[in-house]
Amino acid sequence: MIRAAFKTVLSEIETAKKAARRSGDSVTLVAVTKTFGVDAVRVALECGQRVFGENRVQEAKSKWPELKKEFPDIELHLIGPLQSNKVKEAIALFDVIESVDRDKIARLLAQESEKQAKQLKFFAQVNTAQEAQKAGISPKEARTFVRRCTHDYGLKIEGLMCIPPVEEPRAPHFALLHKIADDLGLTSLSMGMSADFSEAIKLGATHVRIGSRLFGRR
Ligand SMILES: *Cc1c(COP(=O)(O)O)cnc(C)c1O
């Protein structure tokens, strides 16, 4: 089932890329394995998948250290909110942190990267709908925040990430994220999940985070 799902999703990604005239490796599939166990991950690895996403540090710690030893080319993304007391573990385990969403975390991530001498990639999470309960910096503050990360904390932000509200049309959120990234000269855009990745690719996504379409219901 997972194998067939990978085939379908990869071909839908190709179709969306063609429609948007996007080139060969311009879109990375981040396979989101939260709540799924090592068995599911192994099937994905057999399909050739190497880029994965987890939303909790604790859960990721129980799953990935061994697998990463076995497959050194795995790239693991943290896509969920990060608490300051988990920064050390996050830097040790992940390769990309997509959810940099506030000053304190940015500062700690920079400090801890230096301490561990690790070069991760970082995305700033933007709360495009300005929902009170959702993580992310507001679109208005994005520019200042990204600048502060780079200049004050020494944390190089490579791109932006967003999670639009489920009940709203996605296109305006994807377009807004793209515009903010363009303004800041950032080229990576993590947007689009199982329900809307084709639309996200048409609007410029470079990373799509897909869970349930690949692994089933959670
Ligand atoms: C769970 C999750 C996904 C994947 O969601 P699906 O709808 O299962 O594809 C993507 N991004 C984030 C931040 C998530 O937490």
Side-chain angles (χ1 to χ4, degrees), residues 2-21:
I2 295 175
R3 260 171 238 279
F6 262 94
K7 261 203 188 138
T8 313
V9 165
L10 287 169
S11 103
E12 286 178 27
I13 290 175
E14 282 311 308
T15 304
K17 271 162 59 183
K18 283 214 185 88
R21 300 176 186 282

Side-chain angles (χ1 to χ4, degrees), residues 32 34 55 79 161 163 193-194 209-213 218:
V32 178
K34 66 183 186 205
N55 71 333
I79 59 174
M161 184 268 251
I163 311 170
M193 313 187 353
S194 286
R209 311 176 307 268
I210 302 180
S212 46
R213 277 291 302 279
R218 289 185 293 270

Side-chain angles (χ1 to χ4, degrees), residues 168-179:
E168 282 183 30
R170 317 298 210 277
H173 296 279
F174 296 154
L176 175 60
L177 197 73
H178 197 164
K179 182 180 179 309

